[in-house]
Amino acid sequence: MLGACTSRFVPRAVRAVLACAAILVACSHGESLPSSRCDAGGDACTPPPPDACPGAGGDACVPSQCAAGADGGASCDDGDPCTSGDACRGGQCRGTLCATPPKGACLDAETARVYETPGACTDGTCEYTDAEEFCRFGCDQDAGACHVGAVQISAGGFVVNEEPEEAQHTCAVLSDGTVRCWGANSHGQLGDGTTERRATPVTVVGLADVVQVAAGGAHTCAVVSDGTVSCWGFNAQAQLGFEGSDSPVPLQVPGVEGTVQVSATSHLSCARTPGGDLWCWGGWVPPGEIRTEPVLYDDFSAISDSPMVDLSVGWDHFCYAFASGEAYCDGDDGWCQSSPASSLSDVAQIDARYWMRTCAILADGTASCWGHCGMTGSGLCAEGQWITCEPLPVAGLSDVVGISQGQDHTCAVLADGTAWCWGANWVGQLGIDDRDVTGSVEPLQVVGLENVVQVSGGTQHTCAVVADGSAWCWGNNVFGQLGTGKGNARAPERVMGL
């Protein structure tokens, strides 16, 4: 930035005593303001006061040089007309090059003209390349930019062992590639650089171009468009991909690249590549070991000859679905939550996120669950029957496009944009707005929501993304995990700011 005035300090020695020479203040319009000022002892030059330069219309004089070691962002002027935000950093006056592009414009209801940053400096002028951007949620005429909305959401919070009881949070990816999180933050799982609980969304620092996020117990991981994975929060079992302390800001998982999906539970994180390779790190990595750095699994030929298309890690087991429709689960099978998967041949999506049961969407649009019989949503379990070792169809649902388990409940999204939930409803996590219903063995429709595109179950809460980019949550809000700034909710309430 070239300000209205700059000053130059010229010290000289006179009779072995350091004195001040003239301080020449140059004005942007070509005039100058001579001055000579020394401190009380005559030992050093001091900057001129903010006097107005003659004929400059009151423009203040700003020093172009910073004292040795000066820091803290004091204003200065580096003399470069292509920089902005000039400030003293490390004893030098530094600005950001071509970082203030022109305001964009809406070309139509779904298209915006945007300008790429940084621009290029040519002959003292910043030039910016423009491009057309599709606006998923429409173009804001006043801002001249695309409306920003939620495109994917993940409700976390499984509580085990050394994790605090308040390990309940939610995160969402927005259409601009940033991530917002809210709720419990005792280990920095919100990624905002603090450990303060947040009742409304805050921005995860230092992340851009994110395509998917997964909220675990007290840690969170995200996939970036370049295929890398970053994680933050709780790290007692190397959930972040390395051995060390917790981190309240995202850190890139070392060595992991080329990924398209990440799944996280309380102690474990895994990510898959488009070709079907699998990276895992943290506690209970297959075959049940703690790994303080990512481990690559690149041979699933004993299970399927086709690539992996979906993965889900739970508290005590983990499951995979393959392009051939085959599925496989590994880990604990005490509730038959693992072995029945191998009997299926038409799996499109699989969910094993919590414990004691697993659910899958099949190629014909129906859904089946197995393990804890009362949580299958089938309504077929006999009195006193706790376990089913065969997949049971979820009652009454067809054209299922998404499914997600909470700790003691499960929810599904249908192609018509409705959401349905079953299981426990102690604090309203089914979203049916009925205090008298404490649970259901068959799906019940979530009230007041239309055009739902994705749903995610948490410990005792549920969240959903709607086609207009808004996010809605319901259930337990004791730690702010609904993002509404209010209390518990038995029906969907909109997340503030989304």
Side-chain angles (χ1 to χ4, degrees), residues 47-330:
D51 298 328
C53 294
D59 292 336
C61 299
V62 180
S64 61
Q65 297 179 356
C66 301
D71 211 339
S75 296
C76 61
D77 190 328
D78 64 4
D80 188 339
C82 287
T83 61
S84 60
D86 300 353
C88 293
R89 300 180 181 91
Q92 295 183 352
C93 184
R94 299 177 180 178
T96 304
L97 182 66
C98 294
T100 55
K103 180 181 177 180
C106 293
L107 302 181
D108 56 45
E110 296 182 337
T111 311
R113 174 180 287 119
V114 296
Y115 294 90
E116 299 177 359
T117 57
C121 183
T122 304
D123 297 327
T125 301
C126 287
E127 297 180 353
Y128 298 88
T129 301
D130 68 312
E132 293 185 7
E133 179 179 347
F134 170 72
C135 298
R136 180 171 180 172
F137 303 116
C139 191
D140 185 336
Q141 294 287 344
D142 293 334
C146 294
H147 284 290
V148 176
V151 296
Q152 185 252 329
I153 201 163
S154 181
F158 196 89
V159 182
V160 295
N161 299 332
E162 63 266 49
E163 290 190 73
E165 291 185 359
E166 66 163 320
Q168 304 184 63
H169 69 296
T170 307
C171 293
V173 179
L174 304 192
S175 54
D176 63 359
T178 60
V179 177
R180 305 285 193 277
C181 295
W182 56 94
N185 197 27
S186 56
H187 289 278
Q189 58 264 44
L190 301 189
D192 66 343
T194 78
T195 54
E196 298 178 16
R197 187 184 303 170
R198 306 292 187 177
T200 56
V202 292
T203 301
V204 177
V205 300
L207 271 187
D209 300 321
V210 174
V211 295
Q212 188 238 332
V213 67
H219 81 290
T220 311
C221 293
V223 177
V224 182
S225 60
D226 64 3
T228 60
V229 176
S230 290
C231 298
W232 57 96
F234 195 45
N235 198 40
Q237 294 178 293
Q239 295 97 316
L240 307 188
F242 61 91
E243 189 172 18
S245 58
D246 300 348
S247 175
V249 297
L251 298 174
Q252 186 173 323
V253 179
V256 175
E257 55 187 19
T259 66
V260 293
Q261 181 189 10
V262 65
S263 182
T265 186
S266 62
H267 49 276
L268 172 67
S269 309
C270 292
R272 70 172 178 88
T273 70
D277 293 343
L278 184 68
W279 292 91
C280 290
W281 57 94
W284 301 358
V285 171
E289 302 174 352
I290 294 179
R291 297 299 182 96
T292 57
E293 59 184 29
V295 178
L296 176 64
Y297 301 87
D298 57 2
D299 185 4
F300 290 88
S301 59
I303 303 171
S304 176
D305 292 328
S306 62
M308 185 187 303
V309 294
D310 193 25
L311 81 115
S312 181
V313 297
W315 181 71
D316 55 2
H317 69 303
F318 11 85
C319 297
Y320 325 113
F322 298 87
S324 61
E326 296 166 292
Y328 179 78
C329 294
D330 196 3

